[in-house]
Amino acid sequence: MMIDMLKKIPSAVKRYAKMTKREKWNELYSNLWMTPMIYAVLSLILVFITLWADLKMNVYKGMPSFLIVDYGLTKTILSTLTAGILSLTTFTFYGVLGALSTFSSQFSPRILKNFMMNAVTQRTLGIFSGSFLYVLFCLFFINEDTAQAYSLIPTAAVLTAMITISTFAFFINHIVTWLQVTNLAEQIKRESVDIIESSLVNELKPHKAKNPDEMHTQVPGGEGEMLQAEKSGYLQKIDFAELIDEAARDNLIIRLDNRIGSFVFRSTSIFTYWNPSPDYELDENKYLHMFQVGKNQTELQDIEFSINKFVEIAIRALGNNDPKTATNIIYQIGDLLIQLSEMEVFSPYLTDENGNLRVILKNLTYADYLYRGFASIRHYANKDAVITGELLYVLNAIAQATDKKDHRDIWNFTKYTATGFDHNLLYDLDMDRFNHILWEIAETTGNTDSYEKLITEMKN
């Protein structure tokens, strides 16, 4: 009986139950209706309490005289506040649309969701919606025959209006603050660090092979069997813990053919698997449910998507002749890459609890993250000596802060950046600064022998 009931539960509900706390929050608050709906319910509860207190319990009889209001004045207060709060709510929605338009044109369309999911934005719209519904329903239920006077209803309405006006002023300040690129970049960086901690550290690191070099012996040969995707879209999320558990039960070794954030085409391979038993039949539905494919990229497990937000802001700043914004974004990307180096183990092998190889990731190395973070900026700044110098300065800071295992990748990207610059635009002071920073990077990464060769390539 219980099994039959569980089978009748919609798949969307089952998927929601398996989500982590962060994923549930993202699912609920990635739109603008959830928080206003909560505040609307709270406002209706407040309507019931104040009406019950004033109309049934006659609370006004025990209140001070200056809080007792007759029907006529109560109706005037409520009708005035209803129109006023509605007008203020409409103006606020226009403010939200204006802010979204500014973010999209000046920074990146990808950060609109960040503004929508911000707690201040959601609560502001919730307070406006709840306040309007409160005064509207109070105005609807009161009449001249129900009570001789009112106390809690007009008092609560006035307090609600005061809160609404204060919230409006606070929200205007919030929009102005968000338009400052330093605050926006800090918010995106916090989001990126959360992704690193939740997906790369908490989900994957416990399953990463302790001795990656020894895993090569467990990698199967041959072509293997492929599981095809049911629909086209972006690969948004993979349930790695369940995937490893099921692979261990079925004695499978799985190689992912796509990274999270990649666009998966229908009827193409989503992963390749090997099983030692020739009679084994894969339960395709069981494994496909572990892969979430949707029409948009999300930040749930895709650190590359968050890095791309930074890159888009920097490129637009370069196009708008705004070097200060571009420099700030380069610093934020550098700080994020340092944290990525500290937290992530760049191994493609995931094992079960017995240390057996179960999943082979289509993994990004530290060199890939460097390229995705700085390559586009380097391309658009190849005629800007100041921005390129700042980029080299950040690479030097990354080299000093990271472990030696990443130094080769940093030096290779440094050469890529230095040789790609148009050196005909460099003057003596620019060249001195370039050479000084390059020497520091070479010294930090242990590539002083390659420094002279790099300088020669630059001159040629």
Side-chain angles (χ1 to χ4, degrees), residues 392 395-397 399-400 407-408 410-412 414-415 434-455:
L392 293 174
L395 288 172
N396 184 38
Q400 293 175 355
H407 283 179
R408 181 172 61 86
I410 296 171
W411 176 247
N412 288 337
T414 299
K415 293 192 296 182
F434 263 54
N435 293 346
H436 178 69
I437 297 176
L438 290 174
W439 171 255
E440 287 189 350
I441 299 175
E443 195 173 29
T444 303
T445 59
N447 288 280
T448 53
D449 296 338
S450 304
Y451 170 76
E452 294 297 337
K453 182 180 178 182
L454 175 59
I455 297 299

Side-chain angles (χ1 to χ4, degrees), residues 54 56 76 92 117 119 132 164 185 229 255 264 290 300 311 313 316-317 350 390 428 433 439:
D54 267 350
K56 295 295 183 182
T76 301
T92 303
M117 293 180 64
F132 173 73
T164 303
R255 185 192 67 206
V264 179
M290 304 175 196
L300 293 176
V311 175
I313 296 173
R316 294 203 180 199
L350 303 182
E390 293 294 339
D428 292 340
R433 185 165 184 255
W439 171 255

